[in-house]
Amino acid sequence: MSRRRFLLAMAVTAAAAQLTLPVAYAAAPASAQLTQQDRQDLQRIAGYFNSVRTMKGRFLQVGPDGNAAEGQIFLSRPGRFRFEFDPPVPMLIVSDGAYIIMEDRELRSVERIPLGATPLDMLLRDEVKFDDSVGIAKVERGAAILRVTLFEPSRPKEGTLTLVFGDRPLEFAGWTVTDAQGKTTSISLSQIDFNPELSSRLFSYGDGPSQGRELRRRR
């Protein structure tokens, strides 16, 4: 598998910026001056996410170069998710709540990074709330569309996470990650089932065919 496709797969977790050096940082986002409507919409979004503990469905990922990949997504808050890429992409990405583990079956390699080092951590917390721990760059509205762009206040230059919703009724449609270099990777969701019963084994790593392979930790 090409290094480019490997980085495309890793961009699901917004980790590409940390794993590709050197980094030419894009301009850091600034916190928006929120209107009353913005605050009401953020309250609706927080309530929506906090009603969802588990989720499964399909995803379509489009990377900075236009390459696309599909697969299955499973999510269990707090902090756990699983991306199973359809062939021919030989990638598996699992978060166990503390670390994101990225397996390349073709290269027979495994990478591990802290979940807290990626923008997705803001979405997967036990309670989603838009307080001082989350930077809000902008809230955008369109025809039945609502977008909210977030960043980590302590690391504003490391990228943003834009949540995308259908509106009226509110429905999570996906997200876009913009990395430290200004490159974007978008995830679109479909066939979503909210709050299904999911096995905890989906979010553990080490029991499958990758057991015993070299694990390279990145700090």
Side-chain angles (χ1 to χ4, degrees), residues 184-204:
T184 61
T185 297
S186 297
I187 301 290
S188 300
L189 302 176
S190 62
Q191 302 176 36
I192 297 298
D193 183 11
F194 292 106
N195 293 319
E197 185 173 344
L198 298 178
S199 170
S200 61
R201 291 177 62 88
L202 284 169
F203 311 105
S204 62

Side-chain angles (χ1 to χ4, degrees), residues 86-104:
D86 292 345
V89 179
M91 293 292 302
L92 172 66
I93 302 178
V94 178
S95 171
D96 60 9
Y99 287 91
I100 297 172
I101 302 100
M102 296 169 285
E103 179 191 10
D104 183 330

Side-chain angles (χ1 to χ4, degrees), residues 46-54 75-80 97 115 120-129 133:
Y48 176 92
F49 277 128
N50 289 328
S51 71
V52 176
R53 303 307 297 179
T54 62
L75 180 148
S76 180
R77 295 181 38 241
R80 299 186 296 171
L115 174 62
L120 283 183
D121 176 57
M122 293 183 285
L123 178 60
L124 294 169
R125 294 171 183 172
D126 189 44
E127 180 183 4
V128 175
K129 53 185 177 181
S133 67

Side-chain angles (χ1 to χ4, degrees), residues 57-189:
R58 297 283 301 171
F59 71 86
L60 170 65
Q61 174 184 288
V62 179
D65 55 5
N67 283 350
E70 297 182 71
Q72 290 183 292
I73 180 174
F74 304 88
L75 180 148
S76 180
R77 295 181 38 241
R80 299 186 296 171
F81 63 79
R82 180 185 185 94
F83 287 87
E84 294 183 354
F85 286 80
D86 292 345
V89 179
M91 293 292 302
L92 172 66
I93 302 178
V94 178
S95 171
D96 60 9
Y99 287 91
I100 297 172
I101 302 100
M102 296 169 285
E103 179 191 10
D104 183 330
R105 298 186 178 104
E106 187 172 275
L107 297 179
R108 300 181 63 83
S109 67
V110 178
E111 299 278 354
R112 178 179 290 207
I113 64 170
L115 174 62
T118 74
L120 283 183
D121 176 57
M122 293 183 285
L123 178 60
L124 294 169
R125 294 171 183 172
D126 189 44
E127 180 183 4
V128 175
K129 53 185 177 181
F130 299 105
D131 56 14
D132 291 342
S133 67
V134 177
I136 301 167
K138 55 186 172 181
V139 179
E140 302 170 287
R141 299 173 192 84
I145 293 290
L146 179 61
R147 296 184 181 89
V148 179
T149 299
L150 311 175
F151 63 94
E152 172 56 62
S154 63
R155 301 186 303 274
K157 291 185 178 182
E158 291 189 3
T160 61
L161 173 68
T162 298
L163 306 177
V164 183
F165 301 85
D167 201 9
R168 314 277 180 207
L170 194 65
E171 184 177 25
F172 189 36
W175 65 88
T176 296
V177 169
T178 302
D179 70 15
Q181 297 167 296
K183 297 178 180 179
T184 61
T185 297
S186 297
I187 301 290
S188 300
L189 302 176

